[in-house]
Amino acid sequence: MSHSRRNFVKTLTLASASAALLPTACSSNKDKKLTILHTNDVHSHIDPFPANDKKFGNKGGYARRAALVKKIRATEPNVILLDCGDIFQGTPYFNVFDGKLDISLMSKMKYDAATIGNHEFDSGAENLAERVKEAQFPFVCSNYDFTNSPLESLTKPYEIIKKGDLKIGIIGLGIKLQGLVDPRMCGNITYNNPIEVANRLAKKLKVDDQCDVVICISHLGYKYESDKVSDVEVATKSENIDVILGGHTHTFLDEPTIVTNLNQEPVIINQAGWGGVKLGRIDLTMHAHKKSKTLAYHKMV
Amino acid sequence: MQKHFTIIATLALLSFSFYSCDNISHKQHYSGQLMSIDSTITGNAVMQDYIKPYQLQLDSQMNRVIGVSSETLIAKKPESPLSNLVADIMQDKTAEYISKNKLESLPLFSLVNTRGLRSDIPKGEVLLRDIYEVMPFENQIVLVKLTGETVLALVDHIVKSKGDGIAGLSFTIEHGEAKNIKLNNKTIDTKAHYYLSTSDYLANGGDNYSMLLNPISRANIELKVREAIVSHIESLSEQNLSIEANNNKRITLLN
């Protein structure tokens, strides 16, 4: 498909959508707002870091995060809470309780979805399968094929979550496990190309399923010097993805990064460091009478 | 198909020109931030109560003083007091295993991945908890027999990884290449055999140490890396000794 043809189709979608919605949209010009909250690489930091920790003394903790999330849910109309993997491993809580406590706290906090990070396999695939079964939220893994593994049919390739009258499509991208996770721990998993999978599913979610927003929760890592697939690379080579929330590289982004995708549209990338010392937050405002193929965000001053 | 598209496009154009409310910019807004989770937030009481029994069980298992450290030991690349310490301990424990099991006598060195050491050993009293945080993984120490050729490939990978914890091995890095490579203070013979003490994680090709996947032989010394560290610190304590940093150079960066 030539570049100009692609642009034509995009304009068409935009225009036809607004044509259909215009008569009512003029009278009710109400904005739709979505508040995205996200964590990554919490690494079993159930309690706040000890006071004498040089970097994060007395920061973090699940109970405080729960309080903050509750406060935001009380004031914002549509809140979605997501985790980008490496929930497990890093404090003795994981060694002693195998991630059971982490999953039950995330369920109590009403996480909407999470994806699997490489450290989720640290007690083996069977243990992870038990935790995934216990979780009261879905694990979205789009590019791992778990056929013949203990995780087979326990995760979702994508998920559609409704918040108010907003339809949010979720894709989950996992990192290549070979050379990173002991093969005896993760078992039989096929890693598929995250960019191909993400684009195929994002198109389905945005175009076929008419999602207002498509969010990718990723454990690929923010950016690499090498040619390893990263969130920035996925964003650059993507279509139909609005937001990429990341993990793995423990990156604290002072503000989200905006990357231009294949169609010169902006993609928002964010990552909230690690250890649960930060809660990532992105607020999106969409005009009610617009149902565009891709959101054209502008930074709110 | 093309015709259908054209009709919608025309309709759309019409509606754009007729409806003035479409002058509302179709700019959509976002704002983003990382919110701090700190002591200004009072933790959710229900959740705190839920965590409490787990916390108490953990404290009773983990808050046992196992030794004293003369200073804070950190792990960083290319080399550091903590990665040196762990590599030394692995080499010592493996040497004990070799002599106890009367194995062939070969030059022995050790390797630990620095990024696998996840925290510091604090100055002063060291709790069992601290060692779990340094080495949270259940990695076992394994003994692998390698040819000198494989050892050189391994050294290349250490250089590429910008350093890892080693003992019994030393080299300099000049312009991104390993020079003056010495194993037990001797030049490596590509045809000779050597013993490496490392974790099963690296021996299984973790951190892209794929050259370790097909060794001449491999044995599990039936000791976890963490158990080895704890046992070393406890034996120092029994002799009233504290953990000292070992700053002797193994990897020297020139340029």
Side-chain angles (χ1 to χ4, degrees):
Chain A
M1 186 189 274
S2 75
H3 188 69
S4 60
R5 171 69 192 279
R6 189 157 51 214
N7 275 348
F8 170 72
V9 175
K10 187 190 105 193
T11 317
L12 191 69
T13 315
L14 255 168
S16 60
S18 58
L21 291 168
L22 265 172
T24 49
C26 269
S27 49
S28 76
N29 186 26
K30 220 175 139 195
D31 288 346
K32 292 189 203 177
K33 198 176 169 197
L34 176 65
T35 302
I36 304 165
L37 303 179
H38 60 101
T39 49
N40 56 277
D41 302 277
V42 176
H43 284 299
S44 296
H45 281 272
I46 306 290
D47 298 324
F49 278 75
N52 63 359
D53 188 274
K54 276 189 293 191
K55 275 190 201 148
F56 304 127
N58 203 17
K59 291 203 160 67
Y62 268 75
R64 288 175 183 164
R65 195 195 319 154
L68 182 58
V69 168
K70 197 175 171 187
K71 193 174 145 197
I72 297 167
R73 282 192 178 122
T75 50
E76 298 295 342
N78 305 308
V79 178
I80 187 166
L81 177 59
L82 303 164
D83 186 89
C84 299
D86 279 9
I87 297 162
F88 296 163
Q89 186 70 277
T91 72
Y93 275 107
F94 180 69
N95 303 87
V96 175
F97 304 114
D98 286 330
K100 250 176 164 341
L101 179 59
D102 316 53
I103 293 298
S104 90
L105 295 176
M106 287 173 75
S107 297
K108 283 178 189 300
M109 225 186 282
K110 298 194 164 48
Y111 266 81
D112 290 286
T115 195
I116 288 177
N118 46 301
H119 284 294
E120 262 66 82
F121 296 101
D122 283 2
S123 281
E126 286 84 5
N127 177 68
L128 176 57
E130 289 310 308
R131 299 294 87 80
V132 170
K133 281 185 217 164
E134 287 160 12
Q136 287 160 35
F137 53 88
F139 275 88
V140 183
C141 298
S142 307
N143 67 318
Y144 288 151
D145 181 350
F146 292 121
T147 309
N148 298 325
S149 112
L151 286 147
E152 183 168 2
S153 75
L154 294 178
T155 64
K156 300 276 184 72
Y158 63 88
E159 182 81 343
I160 296 173
I161 295 170
K162 287 189 178 150
K163 293 284 170 187
D165 55 358
L166 284 171
K167 230 172 140 180
I168 302 136
I170 307 285
I171 298 167
L173 298 181
I175 193 165
K176 192 173 185 177
L177 298 172
Q178 191 201 344
L180 189 62
V181 174
D182 192 325
R184 290 178 303 188
M185 298 306 269
C186 64
N188 188 13
I189 298 170
T190 308
Y191 165 89
N192 293 316
N193 181 318
I195 299 172
E196 282 172 30
V197 172
N199 277 332
R200 177 169 51 78
L201 290 175
K203 188 179 176 201
K204 176 195 156 28
L205 291 167
K206 198 50 132 354
V207 180
D208 303 344
D209 299 325
Q210 294 279 299
C211 286
D212 297 279
V213 183
V214 171
I215 301 172
C216 176
I217 48 178
S218 151
H219 199 75
L220 294 174
Y222 176 64
K223 196 161 84 178
Y224 298 103
E225 283 169 28
S226 65
D227 56 2
K228 239 164 99 173
V229 185
S230 66
D231 295 339
V232 169
E233 191 188 345
V234 172
T236 311
K237 296 179 176 170
S238 75
E239 292 180 280
N240 299 308
I241 295 172
D242 300 297
V243 180
I244 300 178
L245 306 172
H248 190 64
T249 43
H250 295 194
T251 311
F252 287 93
L253 288 176
D254 290 333
E255 56 176 68
T257 305
I258 303 299
V259 172
T260 307
N261 74 6
L262 282 181
N263 301 330
Q264 307 305 310
E265 297 150 338
V267 180
I268 300 170
I269 303 177
N270 209 18
Q271 195 178 138
W274 72 281
V277 299
K278 297 279 181 182
L279 177 69
R281 174 175 181 166
I282 294 171
D283 290 281
L284 300 181
T285 309
M286 292 155 270
H287 290 304
H289 67 292
K290 287 288 174 189
K291 195 139 196 177
S292 60
K293 184 164 171 261
T294 303
L295 302 166
Y297 293 113
H298 290 259
K299 195 182 166 187
M300 200 145 62
V301 186
Chain B
M1 188 64 180
Q2 189 63 52
K3 197 177 160 194
H4 183 60
F5 270 31
T6 317
I7 293 168
I8 300 174
T10 315
L11 269 170
L13 277 171
L14 274 171
S15 55
F16 263 97
S17 51
F18 275 86
Y19 285 89
S20 60
C21 79
D22 206 61
N23 286 343
I24 300 168
S25 147
H26 64 257
K27 280 180 182 174
Q28 323 210 19
H29 302 291
Y30 81 91
S31 67
Q33 59 180 309
L34 298 185
M35 304 180 81
S36 288
I37 312 253
D38 55 29
S39 56
T40 61
I41 304 169
T42 307
N44 179 293
V46 176
M47 198 161 273
Q48 269 166 344
D49 289 347
Y50 186 84
I51 295 169
K52 199 77 202 171
Y54 292 91
Q55 206 174 45
L56 292 173
Q57 186 188 330
L58 206 64
D59 285 353
S60 70
Q61 282 176 251
M62 294 290 160
N63 290 358
R64 179 164 63 84
V65 179
I66 58 166
V68 173
S69 180
S70 57
E71 56 193 284
T72 303
L73 305 183
I74 62 156
K76 67 173 193 283
K77 288 170 179 267
E79 65 178 359
S80 59
L82 184 53
S83 51
N84 284 353
L85 175 75
V86 176
D88 288 346
I89 294 170
M90 289 167 71
Q91 191 189 30
D92 289 349
K93 296 289 179 190
T94 307
E96 283 170 25
Y97 173 87
I98 291 169
S99 90
K100 201 173 126 198
N101 290 279
K102 302 188 171 60
L103 301 182
E104 186 184 358
S105 173
L106 293 173
L108 168 70
F109 72 111
S110 68
L111 168 73
V112 62
N113 53 322
T114 303
R115 294 226 167 91
L117 304 173
R118 308 287 281 194
S119 185
D120 309 336
I121 289 185
K123 185 179 174 171
E125 284 190 342
V126 178
L127 304 178
L128 180 61
R129 176 188 294 271
D130 297 317
I131 305 309
Y132 267 85
E133 293 191 357
V134 166
M135 187 63 226
F137 311 111
E138 304 300 326
N139 294 166
Q140 299 277 343
I141 299 176
V142 294
L143 171 63
V144 288
K145 195 195 285 184
L146 305 170
T147 63
E149 202 177 344
T150 307
V151 175
L152 292 176
L154 180 138
V155 169
D156 279 346
H157 189 66
I158 297 174
V159 172
K160 235 196 254 171
S161 328
K162 302 191 164 69
D164 262 331
I166 49 175
L169 176 71
S170 67
F171 54 87
T172 58
I173 302 176
E174 294 173 54
H175 305 289
E177 266 182 56
K179 297 272 165 68
N180 196 23
I181 306 167
K182 293 279 159 65
L183 203 157
N184 294 185
N185 298 316
K186 286 185 185 136
T187 309
I188 292 168
D189 171 358
T190 53
K191 298 271 183 282
H193 292 174
Y194 298 92
Y195 276 141
L196 167 67
S197 164
T198 190
S199 66
D200 55 352
Y201 172 70
L202 295 186
N204 291 340
D207 271 5
N208 296 307
Y209 278 98
S210 54
M211 75 297 295
L212 298 180
L213 284 170
N214 298 299
I216 300 164
S217 69
R218 170 171 162 164
N220 196 329
I221 78 160
E222 302 301 334
L223 187 67
K224 288 179 183 174
V225 177
R226 185 177 52 242
E227 291 169 341
I229 303 171
V230 171
S231 133
H232 172 78
I233 297 173
E234 285 180 333
S235 76
L236 287 177
S237 298
E238 282 163 18
Q239 305 162 62
N240 280 320
L241 296 172
S242 52
I243 310 161
E244 304 289 341
N246 185 336
N247 289 310
N248 82 341
K249 279 297 210 192
R250 294 147 200 216
I251 303 174
T252 309
L253 279 173
L254 298 177
N255 69 33

Short mmCIF file of all heavy atoms in Angstrom, two decimals, chain B residues 71-74 76 79-82 84-85 88 244-251:
data_model
loop_
_atom_site.label_atom_id
_atom_site.label_comp_id
_atom_site.label_asym_id
_atom_site.label_seq_id
_atom_site.Cartn_x
_atom_site.Cartn_y
_atom_site.Cartn_z
N GLU B 71 32.04 -2.23 55.82
CA GLU B 71 31.52 -1.13 55.01
C GLU B 71 30.38 -1.59 54.10
O GLU B 71 30.11 -2.78 54.01
CB GLU B 71 32.63 -0.48 54.18
CG GLU B 71 33.37 -1.44 53.29
CD GLU B 71 34.64 -0.80 52.74
OE1 GLU B 71 34.50 0.02 51.82
OE2 GLU B 71 35.74 -1.12 53.22
N THR B 72 29.72 -0.63 53.47
CA THR B 72 28.66 -0.98 52.52
C THR B 72 29.30 -1.56 51.28
O THR B 72 30.20 -0.96 50.70
CB THR B 72 27.86 0.28 52.13
OG1 THR B 72 27.36 0.87 53.32
CG2 THR B 72 26.71 -0.05 51.20
N LEU B 73 28.86 -2.76 50.89
CA LEU B 73 29.42 -3.39 49.70
C LEU B 73 28.40 -3.33 48.57
O LEU B 73 27.29 -3.83 48.71
CB LEU B 73 29.78 -4.85 49.98
CG LEU B 73 30.72 -5.13 51.15
CD1 LEU B 73 31.02 -6.62 51.24
CD2 LEU B 73 32.02 -4.36 50.99
N ILE B 74 28.80 -2.72 47.49
CA ILE B 74 27.87 -2.60 46.36
C ILE B 74 28.37 -3.43 45.17
O ILE B 74 29.54 -3.76 45.09
CB ILE B 74 27.64 -1.14 45.92
CG1 ILE B 74 28.96 -0.53 45.45
CG2 ILE B 74 27.05 -0.30 47.05
CD1 ILE B 74 28.76 0.62 44.49
N LYS B 76 28.71 -3.42 41.13
CA LYS B 76 28.59 -2.67 39.88
C LYS B 76 29.62 -3.15 38.87
O LYS B 76 30.56 -3.86 39.23
CB LYS B 76 28.65 -1.17 40.12
CG LYS B 76 29.97 -0.64 40.61
CD LYS B 76 29.88 0.88 40.63
CE LYS B 76 31.14 1.54 40.78
NZ LYS B 76 32.13 1.96 41.32
N GLU B 79 33.77 -4.04 37.85
CA GLU B 79 33.96 -4.90 39.01
C GLU B 79 33.68 -4.10 40.27
O GLU B 79 33.61 -2.87 40.22
CB GLU B 79 35.36 -5.51 39.04
CG GLU B 79 36.46 -4.49 39.23
CD GLU B 79 37.84 -5.14 39.29
OE1 GLU B 79 37.94 -6.38 39.21
OE2 GLU B 79 38.82 -4.40 39.43
N SER B 80 33.48 -4.77 41.37
CA SER B 80 33.05 -4.08 42.58
C SER B 80 33.33 -4.98 43.79
O SER B 80 33.50 -6.19 43.63
CB SER B 80 31.55 -3.80 42.49
OG SER B 80 30.86 -5.02 42.34
N PRO B 81 33.36 -4.39 44.98
CA PRO B 81 33.62 -5.20 46.18
C PRO B 81 32.63 -6.36 46.34
O PRO B 81 33.03 -7.46 46.71
CB PRO B 81 33.45 -4.20 47.33
CG PRO B 81 33.67 -2.87 46.73
CD PRO B 81 33.23 -2.96 45.30
N LEU B 82 31.35 -6.12 46.05
CA LEU B 82 30.36 -7.19 46.26
C LEU B 82 30.47 -8.30 45.22
O LEU B 82 30.41 -9.48 45.57
CB LEU B 82 28.94 -6.60 46.29
CG LEU B 82 27.82 -7.59 46.61
CD1 LEU B 82 28.08 -8.36 47.90
CD2 LEU B 82 26.47 -6.88 46.70
N ASN B 84 33.16 -9.08 43.60
CA ASN B 84 34.40 -9.78 43.96
C ASN B 84 34.16 -10.77 45.10
O ASN B 84 34.59 -11.92 45.06
CB ASN B 84 35.48 -8.80 44.42
CG ASN B 84 36.12 -8.03 43.28
OD1 ASN B 84 35.87 -8.32 42.11
ND2 ASN B 84 36.94 -7.04 43.62
N LEU B 85 33.45 -10.29 46.14
CA LEU B 85 33.21 -11.12 47.32
C LEU B 85 32.44 -12.39 46.95
O LEU B 85 32.83 -13.50 47.33
CB LEU B 85 32.41 -10.32 48.37
CG LEU B 85 32.00 -11.12 49.61
CD1 LEU B 85 33.18 -11.36 50.54
CD2 LEU B 85 30.87 -10.41 50.38
N ASP B 88 34.58 -14.75 44.98
CA ASP B 88 35.56 -15.40 45.86
C ASP B 88 34.91 -16.55 46.64
O ASP B 88 35.48 -17.63 46.77
CB ASP B 88 36.13 -14.39 46.88
CG ASP B 88 37.08 -13.39 46.23
OD1 ASP B 88 37.50 -13.63 45.09
OD2 ASP B 88 37.39 -12.36 46.89
N GLU B 244 35.10 -7.91 54.90
CA GLU B 244 35.93 -6.82 54.40
C GLU B 244 35.79 -6.75 52.88
O GLU B 244 35.66 -7.78 52.22
CB GLU B 244 37.41 -7.06 54.73
CG GLU B 244 37.72 -7.25 56.22
CD GLU B 244 37.58 -5.98 57.04
OE1 GLU B 244 37.60 -4.88 56.45
OE2 GLU B 244 37.45 -6.10 58.28
N ALA B 245 35.85 -5.53 52.36
CA ALA B 245 35.79 -5.38 50.90
C ALA B 245 37.09 -5.88 50.29
O ALA B 245 38.16 -5.66 50.84
CB ALA B 245 35.59 -3.91 50.55
N ASN B 246 36.98 -6.57 49.18
CA ASN B 246 38.16 -6.98 48.45
C ASN B 246 38.23 -6.17 47.17
O ASN B 246 37.47 -6.38 46.24
CB ASN B 246 38.08 -8.48 48.14
CG ASN B 246 39.35 -8.97 47.49
OD1 ASN B 246 40.09 -8.19 46.88
ND2 ASN B 246 39.62 -10.26 47.63
N ASN B 247 39.18 -5.21 47.18
CA ASN B 247 39.26 -4.29 46.02
C ASN B 247 40.37 -4.67 45.05
O ASN B 247 40.72 -3.89 44.19
CB ASN B 247 39.47 -2.85 46.51
CG ASN B 247 38.21 -2.32 47.17
OD1 ASN B 247 37.12 -2.41 46.60
ND2 ASN B 247 38.33 -1.80 48.38
N ASN B 248 40.93 -5.90 45.19
CA ASN B 248 42.02 -6.20 44.26
C ASN B 248 41.51 -6.29 42.83
O ASN B 248 40.43 -6.79 42.55
CB ASN B 248 42.84 -7.40 44.73
CG ASN B 248 42.24 -8.74 44.38
OD1 ASN B 248 41.04 -8.82 44.10
ND2 ASN B 248 43.05 -9.77 44.40
N LYS B 249 42.28 -5.72 41.93
CA LYS B 249 41.86 -5.56 40.54
C LYS B 249 41.83 -6.90 39.80
O LYS B 249 42.77 -7.67 39.86
CB LYS B 249 42.83 -4.63 39.81
CG LYS B 249 42.55 -3.16 40.09
CD LYS B 249 41.20 -2.84 39.56
CE LYS B 249 41.04 -1.42 39.09
NZ LYS B 249 39.63 -1.13 38.85
N ARG B 250 40.73 -7.16 39.12
CA ARG B 250 40.61 -8.33 38.27
C ARG B 250 40.38 -7.90 36.82
O ARG B 250 40.91 -8.46 35.89
CB ARG B 250 39.46 -9.21 38.74
CG ARG B 250 39.77 -9.79 40.13
CD ARG B 250 38.58 -9.98 41.02
NE ARG B 250 38.99 -10.08 42.41
CZ ARG B 250 38.41 -10.87 43.29
NH1 ARG B 250 37.37 -11.62 42.96
NH2 ARG B 250 38.86 -10.89 44.53
N ILE B 251 39.54 -6.89 36.71
CA ILE B 251 39.27 -6.33 35.38
C ILE B 251 39.78 -4.89 35.40
O ILE B 251 39.34 -4.08 36.20
CB ILE B 251 37.77 -6.34 35.06
CG1 ILE B 251 37.21 -7.77 35.15
CG2 ILE B 251 37.50 -5.73 33.69
CD1 ILE B 251 35.70 -7.88 34.99
#
